[in-house]
């Protein structure tokens, strides 16, 4: 039976993500511009990222004023309850800036450092992904399960690229050497969506270097609750060096190939 406290956190995360998703979908200005840059001039923040994070933090703070926050656009406070919200208000910002549909709102709740709730709202897909630790993963109310494992050479795998030129060049070299070992590689532009696509059986695997906690917190839990394995370098959890998520049977050979190819360094 699901912990009632976690059910309440899930309800709050779902509503916050729904509100932020509606703001982003319906409030996108025709002349949307860049508000700032992050790691490079092409790694952008839009005015809508900032507005969505403000909405999420404001909503959750009204309900749970003593919780902690970690947000991509600057929200940060330790809190006193043991609960911390990890927020990416707009994952896939460049897609959003260009009017491409693959972007999402990602909200996770941690309890005493452990991820216990994850929600990814993908408005242009009309899909809401959710998971509670130990309670399975769902999309629009339907249970999710990752795909049966194919051999690695028949696996469809997604990845992402950094916005710093020399890092991206190395990542492209890794992908070039990896692709002959796979069915094919995809690149959606949203880590949260890729992790949910592993959960939903639309991908056999996903990997990326350089993710932040807000990029992967919700999606990692959703993928694991759908039966996928997640991690980083062999024996390590998913982190900024490397994030790997895949159906069992694909995970270990994919992880080993990425280790061999040096996907964990620039």
């Amino acid at each position: 039976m699901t912990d009632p406290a976690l059910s309440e956190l899930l309800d709050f995360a779902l509503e916050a993500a729904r509100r932020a998703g509606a703001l982003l979908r319906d409030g996108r200005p025709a002349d949307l511009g860049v508000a700032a840059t992050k790691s490079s001039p092409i790694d952008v923040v839009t005015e809508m990222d900032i507005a969505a994070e403000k909405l999420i933090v404001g909503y959750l703070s009204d309900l749970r004023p003593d919780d902690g926050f970690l947000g991509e656009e600057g929200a940060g406070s330790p809190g006193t309850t043991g609960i911390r919200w990890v927020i990416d208000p707009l994952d896939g910002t460049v897609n959003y800036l260009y009017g491409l549909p693959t972007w999402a709102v990602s909200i996770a709740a941690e309890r005493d450092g452990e991820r216990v709730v994850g929600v990814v709202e993908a408005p242009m897909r009309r899909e809401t992904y959710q998971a509670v630790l130990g309670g399975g993963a769902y999309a629009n109310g339907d249970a999710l399960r990752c795909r049966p494992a194919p051999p690695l050479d028949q696996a469809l795998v997604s990845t992402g690229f950094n916005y710093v030129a020399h890092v991206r060049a190395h990542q492209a070299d890794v992908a070039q050497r990896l692709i002959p070992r796979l069915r094919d590689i995809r690149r959606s532009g949203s880590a949260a969506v890729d992790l949910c696509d592993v959960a939903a059986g639309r991908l056999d695997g996903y990997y990326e270097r350089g993710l932040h906690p807000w990029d992967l917190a919700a999606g990692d839990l959703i993928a694991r609750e759908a039966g996928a394995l997640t991690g980083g370098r062999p024996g390590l959890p998913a982190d900024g060096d490397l994030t790997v998520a895949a159906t069992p049977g694909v995970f270990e050979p994919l992880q080993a190939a990425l280790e061999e190819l040096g996907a964990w360094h620039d």
Side-chain angles (χ1 to χ4, degrees), residues 7-127:
S7 295
E8 182 178 71
L9 294 178
L10 175 64
D11 289 342
F12 293 162
L14 285 166
E15 181 61 18
R18 185 196 66 78
R19 293 185 182 199
L23 171 71
L24 292 164
R25 182 192 63 225
D26 302 335
R28 184 184 184 278
D31 59 347
L32 178 64
V34 175
T37 60
K38 301 177 192 174
S39 59
S40 79
I42 55 175
D43 186 7
V44 301
V45 183
T46 71
E47 58 193 88
M48 298 302 290
D49 294 66
I50 297 166
E53 183 163 297
K54 183 177 179 181
L55 183 157
I56 294 165
V57 172
Y59 174 77
L60 293 174
S61 294
D62 285 345
L63 294 167
R64 298 184 57 89
D66 298 320
D67 287 353
F69 289 91
L70 176 65
E72 181 176 19
E73 308 310 337
S77 62
T80 59
T81 64
I83 301 297
R84 183 175 74 159
W85 299 94
V86 183
I87 301 161
D88 191 340
L90 176 50
D91 188 64
T93 302
V94 173
N95 285 348
Y96 182 78
L97 182 65
Y98 276 76
L100 293 169
T102 305
W103 53 268
V105 178
S106 175
I107 302 175
E110 298 174 343
R111 183 169 62 185
D112 299 325
E114 182 179 35
R115 292 174 195 143
V116 292
V117 166
V119 170
V120 173
E121 175 80 9
M124 305 310 290
R125 288 183 169 203
R126 297 183 175 87
E127 291 176 337

Side-chain angles (χ1 to χ4, degrees), residues 20 44 56 74 106 126 135 138 140 180 188 225 227 229 240-241 250 258 266:
V44 301
I56 294 165
S106 175
R126 297 183 175 87
Y138 298 84
N140 295 355
S188 79
E225 287 295 324
L229 299 178
D241 286 340
V250 169
L258 294 168
D266 300 336

Side-chain angles (χ1 to χ4, degrees), residues 152 170-182 185 207 242 253-266:
L152 186 63
H170 177 66
Q171 291 173 323
D173 179 63
V174 170
Q176 181 183 21
R177 290 184 289 154
L178 180 64
I179 197 169
R181 309 185 190 189
L182 306 173
I185 284 181
Y207 76 93
L242 186 65
L254 176 60
Q255 186 185 52
L258 294 168
E259 180 74 7
E260 173 196 337
L261 296 172
W264 45 272
H265 65 78
D266 300 336

